[in-house]
């Protein structure tokens, strides 16, 4: 069992709400109960997909996800929903949430436009320090994403680190760190004691 107590304490000290669950199924059931009758936008996320959240929430909410709908319009529509769901590329034990983005919809939507944002984060995304969280986002999560998307980048071939490539296929175009919830937007971190996402 992962000890989330330090990261929970540090997230709360920064103003984030936090819930922790032993399994993805329990986390999904919690979110299914908490989000009802809302418009809900999803960021690109293998974690959200693995938890089956789109299928659960669309039964009683209006859910917009560019992985399930026409991508361009869905990305734009998801910027203005009541609720936004995302995962993170890394979470520091000190409480910073780190995300890299290529298109920018996910990074932007976690910073503005919603009543509330939820980050659903598996134990594998935890890093001891902020520097290690940034390192993980750049050298672990991003190369895996580049490989998944069949990008022609050095990281996708070798899968060992980021090469800070200048490729037109580059998937890392911005890095966003949330030090605290954005003003006027509630932000909750849902921790899951399972390996989820990249
Ligand atoms: S900057 Fe380029 S090499 Fe580095 S992780 Fe992103 S796509 Fe890969």
């Amino acid at each position: 069992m992962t000890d989330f107590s330090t990261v929970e304490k540090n997230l709360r000290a920064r103003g984030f709400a936090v819930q922790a669950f032993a399994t993805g199924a329990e986390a999904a059931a919690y979110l299914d109960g908490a989000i009802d009758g809302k418009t809900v936008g999803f960021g690109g996320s293998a974690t959200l997909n693995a938890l089956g959240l789109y299928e659960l929430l669309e039964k009683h909410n209006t859910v917009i996800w560019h992985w399930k709908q026409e991508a361009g319009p869905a990305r734009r529509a998801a910027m203005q929903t009541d609720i936004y769901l995302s995962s993170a590329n890394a979470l520091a034990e000190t409480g910073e949430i780190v995300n890299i983005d290529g298109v920018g919809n996910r990074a932007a939507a976690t910073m503005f436009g919603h009543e509330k944002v939820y980050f659903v984060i598996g134990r594998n995304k935890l890093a001891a320090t902020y520097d290690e969280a940034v390192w993980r986002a750049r050298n672990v999560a991003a190369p895996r994403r580049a490989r998944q998307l069949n990008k022609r980048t050095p990281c996708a071939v070798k899968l060992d680190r980021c090469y800070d490539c200048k490729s037109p296929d580059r998937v890392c175009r911005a890095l966003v760190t949330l030090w605290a919830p954005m003003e006027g937007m509630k932000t909750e971190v849902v921790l899951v004691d399972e390996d989820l996402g990249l």
Side-chain angles (χ1 to χ4, degrees):
M1 180 98 185
T2 305
D3 181 5
F4 287 129
S5 60
T6 301
V7 71
E8 285 188 65
K9 175 172 66 73
N10 288 331
L11 285 165
R12 288 199 180 98
R14 291 173 179 274
F16 296 109
V18 189
Q19 296 282 340
F21 298 93
T23 66
E26 288 170 71
Y30 166 72
L31 290 164
D32 193 32
I35 303 168
D36 179 51
K38 300 287 190 180
T39 55
V40 184
F42 276 42
S45 165
T47 296
L48 302 182
N49 209 26
L51 266 52
L53 281 166
Y54 180 86
E55 291 74 13
L56 283 172
L57 292 176
E58 71 159 356
K59 290 177 185 158
H60 53 104
N61 298 275
T62 301
V63 182
I64 299 162
W65 197 7
H66 63 283
W67 282 16
K68 305 283 186 182
Q69 299 149 6
E70 193 185 342
R75 280 196 182 99
R76 283 190 290 278
M79 300 297 296
Q80 297 183 34
T81 50
D82 302 325
I83 307 291
Y84 195 79
L85 268 66
S86 177
S87 187
N89 293 136
L91 169 64
E93 288 243 11
T94 42
E96 299 93 339
I97 302 167
V98 178
N99 259 322
I100 285 174
D101 211 344
V103 175
N105 58 300
R106 180 174 71 152
T110 59
M111 290 195 288
F112 188 75
H114 315 279
E115 289 170 15
K116 183 164 184 176
V117 172
Y118 290 91
F119 286 93
V120 185
I121 302 176
R123 64 188 175 194
N124 51 312
K125 306 289 183 69
L126 263 182
T129 65
Y130 173 64
D131 285 349
E132 287 174 70
V134 171
W135 190 91
R136 183 192 191 281
R138 297 195 70 184
N139 294 285
V140 177
R144 288 178 182 172
R145 183 67 180 145
R147 164 79 65 91
Q148 190 181 53
L149 292 169
N150 294 316
K151 298 294 189 183
R152 284 176 291 183
T153 59
C155 68
V157 175
K158 296 190 177 179
L159 215 59
D160 56 346
R161 66 177 175 90
C162 170
Y163 291 80
D164 196 17
C165 70
K166 303 300 180 283
S167 165
D169 267 4
R170 178 172 174 134
V171 297
C172 317
R173 290 165 188 264
L175 184 146
V176 168
T177 295
L178 281 193
W179 288 305
M182 303 304 290
E183 278 189 36
M185 204 162 73
K186 294 178 197 159
T187 306
E188 182 166 330
V189 176
V190 176
L191 299 168
V192 183
D193 195 10
E194 287 179 0
D195 291 344
L196 292 166
L198 301 178

